[in-house]
Amino acid sequence: MGLAARARRAAAPRRRAGPLARRPRHPGGVDRPRRALSTSAGPGLPAPYPAGDPAVRRASLALFLAGVAVFALLYSTQPLLPELSRRFGVSAAASTLTVSLTTLTLAVGLLVAGPLSERFGRTRLVTLSLAAATLLGVACALAPSWGVLLGARAAQGLALAGLPAVAVAYLNEELDASVAGQATGLYVGGNALGGMAGRLLAGALADVGGWRLAVGGIAVLGALCTVAVLWLLPPSRRFVPAQPGLRTVARSARAVLSDPVLLGLYLLAALLMGAFVAVFNALGFRLESPPYGLSAALAGLVFLVYAFGSVASTTAGRLADRHGRRAVVPVAVVVMLVGLLATAAGPLVLVVAALAVMTVGFFAAHGVASGWVAARARAGGRATAQAASTYLFAYYVGSSVVGAAAGRAWTAAGWSGVVLLTAVLVVLGCGVALLLARSTSLLQPGNPPVGG
């Protein structure tokens, strides 16, 4: 064959690729896949940050601190429920609205924040969310009436939606798969530590200066974490904006609701979170009643068990990276059930130990399941932030509905009623986890069993 013929054959593939070269390009210079729903990857994107890169540590620490702030603000009133009930003259069930209403509006906000982040980016939404929620925390501390307090807490829930809507999606986009699970576990550990620190600080400040000082002190903690996040969080490099329009959002929503494994993970989130929050909503009333008779500060010390949850979520993330999420989640749910049933014990030391076991199981299951959602969505070509937002929507709906029911269960049947209500939910969660363990991965056979 002559040189001219070989040259024509070599040029032929380039001519066939011509129409693709004329397709519109993303402003950052990356061609957008024609039918892809996921915005987490694409040809020509920078490689994710590998293990050992300083950006991995900065991203992990930033979202850890963001998780501390969000959960401290979100549950700042939980250890104050008995005092709020007395100060405003409302029932135990009504006092739980300062938690349940906030988690409910957060759930609604996730439905908006997830799609917004697919269009406008992750990091901007994180910082705006933290700043707005901190300012609303100050407004809560200054609320002159019960109605205003509930309104400010509802608005705070909407503001807080920005971080949980995008955190896991950001980590799975920007970090290598070998470290994404551990970083997600660390983020969930920040959630646990924030829940613990916020409750401990609120309880201690309430004993010193009442509930207003307690809520205001948590707002200061949120402000400090916000400044740290602004300084530490690396910008998104692998984010590709979705096309604007309701049709794109609707198509993404159908995609994240059409996968049975994702649906199972959403249901698991609602069941476990509902049970977990219900236990801690009723716990303050139990510990301040006979035979314990603890003050708000002493009762708040029980939230030290959240430290075990922080360690458990990080450890479970490493185990999931090594052995697969399907192996870890069912074990974690069983551990949560064992701890929950053991809270029926009478001696305070046994109650606290049981709460620690329950907390370990819950945060291990949640940390792995939340990362599983993002990995599954990415492997299936679905919008990762919208899938994560849908998971958290179910998570906080469960928190709101069952958390509010905890006050009624306590009033009607004491701690036995609370245990019965929550144990039914966790048993159902065990069934869902076992079904998920038998599901099929979307990852290619040669890849490690960490996602999909």
Side-chain angles (χ1 to χ4, degrees):
M1 182 183 294
L3 291 175
R6 282 197 292 268
R8 284 194 298 271
R9 289 189 61 184
R14 288 193 293 270
R15 287 198 301 268
R16 285 195 297 270
L20 289 178
R22 291 193 296 269
R23 285 168 53 200
R25 294 176 66 84
H26 172 257
V30 179
D31 284 336
R32 188 186 308 284
R34 189 181 297 272
R35 295 179 61 83
L37 292 174
S38 174
T39 62
S40 61
L45 292 176
Y49 293 116
D53 193 301
V56 173
R57 292 190 293 272
R58 289 175 64 90
S60 300
L61 179 58
L63 289 185
F64 172 82
L65 293 174
V68 168
V70 165
F71 276 76
L73 291 164
L74 182 62
Y75 293 109
S76 60
T77 62
Q78 193 173 51
L80 309 175
L81 297 182
E83 181 178 353
L84 291 173
S85 178
R86 291 189 296 270
R87 295 291 182 183
F88 289 99
V90 297
S91 66
S95 70
T96 63
L97 289 175
T98 59
V99 178
S100 297
L101 188 60
T102 310
T103 54
L104 181 61
T105 54
L106 188 152
V108 173
L110 288 168
L111 299 180
V112 178
L116 282 178
S117 77
E118 298 286 1
R119 176 59 183 159
F120 298 106
R122 317 295 193 203
T123 55
R124 183 186 308 171
L125 192 59
V126 168
T127 53
L128 288 175
S129 173
L130 290 175
T134 297
L135 291 174
L136 285 165
V138 176
C140 290
L142 300 175
S145 67
W146 180 246
V148 172
L149 176 60
L150 291 182
R153 288 287 289 166
Q156 193 174 36
L158 288 172
L160 287 168
L163 174 73
V166 304
V168 175
Y170 171 89
L171 291 172
N172 278 268
E173 284 172 355
E174 304 299 329
L175 307 188
D176 188 78
S178 64
V179 292
Q182 186 173 348
T184 301
L186 184 62
Y187 160 67
V188 175
N191 298 348
L193 184 61
M196 179 188 74
R199 290 166 169 94
L200 288 173
L201 181 60
L205 290 177
D207 270 5
V208 173
W211 72 270
R212 293 186 188 277
L213 179 63
V215 174
I218 302 302
V220 172
L221 174 64
L224 295 174
C225 290
T226 301
V227 172
V229 170
L230 284 168
W231 179 58
L232 287 169
L233 189 63
S236 295
R237 302 187 312 160
R238 293 168 51 79
F239 171 73
V240 180
Q243 295 177 353
L246 292 176
R247 182 175 298 179
T248 300
V249 174
R251 186 169 69 249
S252 297
R254 285 196 300 271
V256 301
L257 293 173
S258 62
D259 181 7
V261 173
L262 288 178
L263 291 175
L265 290 166
Y266 304 155
L267 178 59
L268 184 68
L271 292 171
L272 299 190
M273 181 58 167
F276 187 74
V277 169
V279 167
F280 280 98
N281 275 0
L283 185 64
F285 294 100
R286 183 187 187 190
L287 295 181
E288 292 191 23
S289 301
Y292 309 114
L294 302 182
S295 67
L298 289 176
L301 289 177
V302 78
F303 291 106
L304 284 169
V305 299
Y306 270 58
F308 294 101
S310 181
V311 174
S313 63
T314 305
T315 303
R318 286 198 297 267
L319 291 174
D321 286 341
R322 185 180 307 167
H323 302 292
R325 295 180 171 97
R326 289 164 181 78
V328 175
V329 169
V331 175
V333 179
V334 171
V335 170
M336 180 181 177
L337 179 61
V338 170
L340 170 62
L341 294 176
T343 63
L348 183 59
V349 64
L350 294 182
V351 173
V352 174
L355 289 168
V357 173
M358 185 191 73
T359 301
V360 165
F362 170 74
F363 277 103
H366 169 50
V368 175
S370 59
W372 190 351
V373 167
R376 178 84 180 185
R378 189 177 69 255
R382 296 170 172 87
T384 53
Q386 195 153 353
S389 295
T390 306
Y391 170 87
L392 291 171
F393 172 77
Y395 180 89
Y396 288 113
V397 166
S399 169
S400 301
V401 174
V402 186
R408 295 183 176 87
W410 167 258
T411 302
W415 193 251
S416 298
V418 175
V419 171
L420 178 62
L421 169 68
T422 53
V424 169
L425 298 178
V426 180
V427 168
L428 292 174
C430 287
V432 173
L434 290 174
L435 290 175
L436 289 170
R438 301 176 60 186
S439 64
T440 303
S441 174
L442 295 180
L443 295 175
Q444 295 300 317
N447 289 345
V450 297

